[in-house]
Amino acid sequence: MTLRDVLLDPSIFAKPMAFEPERWLSDNPDLQRINQAYVPFGKGSRMCVGLNLALAELYIVIASVFRRFDMELYDTVRERDVDAVRDCFIGETSPESRGVRVKIVEAYRSSLLAREK
Ligand code: HEM
């Protein structure tokens, strides 16, 4: 299946392009239904065996990056750099896209480094 078609299907995930992390909280009455359709790692007996490692890495990397850097989007246009606008077997962004880019506006010293000094 094409992940994008499932994960961005508004009949499954309400407002799929909106950043609504609270949809994953236990008080969402729809949680069981959306969990069933959460397929980035596949489902069933052949699903990704690296799921827990991948999630652990993602949590650490995302937390480290957002804690250390204040960023703003740089030369990023949703229609060109985010939306799928062409068919390359899977949906792809425009060929002109250089990806979603950010500019570091401030870098913080990590509290770990600060303690070592
Ligand atoms: C964000 C990171 C990752 C994503 C989105 C991802 C996604 C997937 C998907 C969609 C499948 C196919 C599942 C299916 O056929 O139903 C798969 C299979 C697999 N993945 Fe991952 N994966 C990730 C990271 C990893 C990591 C870190 C490892 C190993 C350390 C790993 C090892 C495997 C293996 C061995 C399979 C084949 C399982 C089988 O066929 O029985 N993956 N992964």
Side-chain angles (χ1 to χ4, degrees):
M1 65 192 143
T2 303
L3 293 182
R4 201 179 175 100
D5 286 347
V6 180
L7 298 172
L8 297 181
D9 183 342
S11 74
I12 305 170
F13 300 97
K15 292 190 267 164
M17 293 299 275
F19 178 64
E20 285 182 1
E22 63 274 17
R23 73 175 86 223
W24 298 107
L25 297 181
S26 55
D27 63 353
N28 179 359
D30 231 14
L31 186 62
Q32 195 184 355
R33 198 176 68 91
I34 63 172
N35 256 332
Q36 277 169 358
Y38 183 71
V39 288
F41 295 95
K43 282 278 181 193
S45 58
R46 297 304 300 269
M47 75 177 294
C48 179
V49 292
L51 177 148
N52 290 311
L53 176 62
L55 287 180
E57 287 173 352
L58 284 169
Y59 295 150
I60 291 168
V61 169
I62 289 171
S64 305
V65 168
F66 281 90
R67 199 168 159 199
R68 285 178 199 182
F69 301 107
D70 202 359
M71 296 168 283
E72 63 185 30
L73 284 174
Y74 171 75
D75 190 23
T76 295
V77 180
R78 181 169 197 150
E79 294 74 17
R80 183 192 63 200
D81 302 314
V82 178
D83 293 341
V85 293
R86 61 198 173 114
D87 182 357
C88 299
F89 184 69
I90 59 166
E92 282 286 348
T93 53
S94 159
E96 276 85 49
S97 175
R98 296 181 66 192
V100 173
R101 292 189 288 165
V102 295
K103 197 160 63 176
I104 307 285
V105 286
E106 190 157 358
Y108 307 108
R109 285 169 39 151
S110 79
S111 51
L112 190 65
L113 282 176
R115 253 184 270 131
E116 284 168 2
K117 293 273 167 184

